[in-house]
Amino acid sequence: MAANGLLNSKTIYVPYMCDHCYVLVAALKAHGVRAEALPPSDDESLAIGLDLCRGRECLPCFTTTGDIIRRAQQPDFDPARSVILMPTTTGPCRFGQYTALQRNFLEQKGLAGLEIISPNAKNSYQGMGDNPTQLRALIWQGMVAVDLLQKLLYQYRPYEVNLGQTDEIYQQCLERIVIATEAGGGKRTVKALQGAARQFERLPVDRSEPRPVIGVVGEIYLRLNAYSNQDIVRRVENVGGEVMVASLMEWMYFTNWLVKEFTWSMGMLLSFLGMTAVDKYQRYQETKLSQTVAHLLNHPHEPAIGRMLAHIRTYYEPYLGTEAVLSMGKAVDFGRNGVSGILNVMPFSCMPGLITAGMAPRLRADLDHIPWLDVIYDAQEGTNLNTRLEAFMYQATQFQRRRVKVNA
Ligand code: SF4
């Protein structure tokens, strides 16, 4: 397929948030767009970001800024033949300001020619190939596949018999999903997941001592970006837990829900119906893909967003939006599905994260006082995170035992 528009001679660079980034790049390539994932953040990119930012921005701004500049300063990088893909948003949170700020930084660094694009429905996904609708469907399919693969990883790794084997299998399966996406997805992605199911079925595990399950909620970038969250999933596993992380697709369903609520309330019937159709299609794809691994997962399907958000109506109006709504809804959903602790991760001074932390006592009171830990990240390597996690895991283990006794 040939790419369209002004960008067809340029390479689109996608900042790495999580492994879903690789299927996004693969889908772009499948649609004839030159694309490349930026390498994951590291100490160098964080240092660049911190040096440029003033300190009042949030952590994802530091790392994404640093990731862009780090790559742009490499000798093989040609700003005139490159474009950065940086999603944006509207609303109260600072994410909507990242691109404006990053354009300033590029100018400061003599990289004014390097474009930043934020494709969305309003600009008709300019530069995103000739068939943006098909492209979005392909991206969705790939992202759901990676979400499912990560669920397998988190549910199996803590119990593996041979250290490191689950990670190896995960990487192999991820690569197959990426290849399937680049080849156009569809049945290829289904097959890649079926292959993953076979590999996980054969993986030797020892579940004789079930671990307390910890539900991770909070700001999406931090939750999914291992560098920024200081590898929180592994840390919890290292102190004896099993982790369930709120998925990326949950966020997509949430934005669908918000658009549907808005268009319905404004009487925009056509837009409402259009979004309802998108939502239904995405659910259909999710169901089809999750069937391949459902027999291996405790919670293969994403809960309906409307139902999940209804859980929090007594505390907070979901239509107020921001990630606070999702984090609270997911925390209640996790709590009702048997997790033994909630970990709420957030960048320092993150408004939605702080709302969630503020509401935690009320949520916990209705969830049998489930252990809850807010972890705030400010780009400093804290020395006491492990100690706090150990204490939290102790509480979660007690909670798990109490629950088992009550249910016996
Ligand atoms: S959700 Fe929080 S961390 Fe993310 S951009 Fe908004 S304010 Fe910053």
Side-chain angles (χ1 to χ4, degrees), residues 57-61 92-96 98 219-221 323 346-353:
E57 305 81 355
C58 27
L59 177 60
C61 188
C93 123
R94 282 170 281 189
F95 184 44
Y98 282 14
E219 198 267 344
I220 187 165
Y221 181 92
E323 290 204 74
M346 71 183 104
F348 180 63
S349 80
C350 169
M351 182 263 285

Side-chain angles (χ1 to χ4, degrees), residues 40-54:
S41 308
D42 58 13
D43 292 350
E44 185 192 349
S45 52
L46 178 62
I48 296 171
L50 283 172
D51 188 41
L52 287 166
C53 295
R54 289 204 216 144

